[in-house]
Amino acid sequence: SQELEQSPQSLIVQEGKNLTINCTSSKTLYGLYWYKQKYGEGLIFLMMLQKGGEEKSHEKITAKLDEKKQQSSLHITASQPSHAGIYLCGADGAGGTSYGKLTFGQGTILTVHP
Amino acid sequence: KAGVTQTPRYLIKTRGQQVTLSCSPISGHRSVSWYQQTPGQGLQFLFEYFSETQRNKGNFPGRFSGRQFSNSRSEMNVSTLELGDSALYLCASSTGPSGLSYEQYFGPGTRLTVT
């Protein structure tokens, strides 16, 4: 079965600093999702990457997919306290037969100090 | 468009009881997936429904079941509750007519506590 490993597990940064969160898969990635979660709440969709080399940006958050390395990175530029939360990567490891099933990493807890 | 809604948001049940959780997907979305989130196991896939048919199922005991109605709303049921069933239950919806990757949008979750 597919496993996703996120690094680091937790991150504390000062407001204004840049940061990167990585997600590495044990198997081929057919689709890679990034979500943000506030503790005890639902997941907020950030981005979905499907093609090797694909890069997407939304406001100050950029995600890239390196298909060959079976990994994705999430980069936040000039972090703000509103960026604080748990970042989760999810992967579709079965392509055309995934039928809604995503495997998730354990999450990265981000704290941003003002 | 309204997002994914889940009811109830919080629930306290006693061991041995059963519970039904409800999920209304985003309008136009026909695929609904359910996940269980616990501190120890993280997010785990329960099952997925599309056009009232279960297309995929995770590794959970038969006490966990679900269904989908013709309007795409979905319910999941847990019978004979155990303490270990305490978790945040999340549903997600997508347009996904095929198994290919589609954007999945999650609801706020139902926090179930079993005492």
Side-chain angles (χ1 to χ4, degrees), chain A residues 33 35 37 92 95 98 100 102, chain B residues 35 37 48 56 99 101-102 104:
Chain A
Y33 299 70
Y35 290 92
Q37 184 179 32
D92 167 5
S98 61
L102 296 182
Chain B
Y35 293 83
Q37 187 178 35
E48 188 260 6
N56 204 351
S101 298
Y102 285 85
Q104 284 195 29

Side-chain angles (χ1 to χ4, degrees), chain A residues 19 47 57-62 75-80 83:
Chain A
L19 63 104
M47 276 167 277
S57 294
H58 176 67
E59 297 180 342
K60 295 185 178 180
I61 300 176
T62 300
H75 184 76
I76 298 177
T77 304
S79 59
Q80 301 169 350
H83 287 128

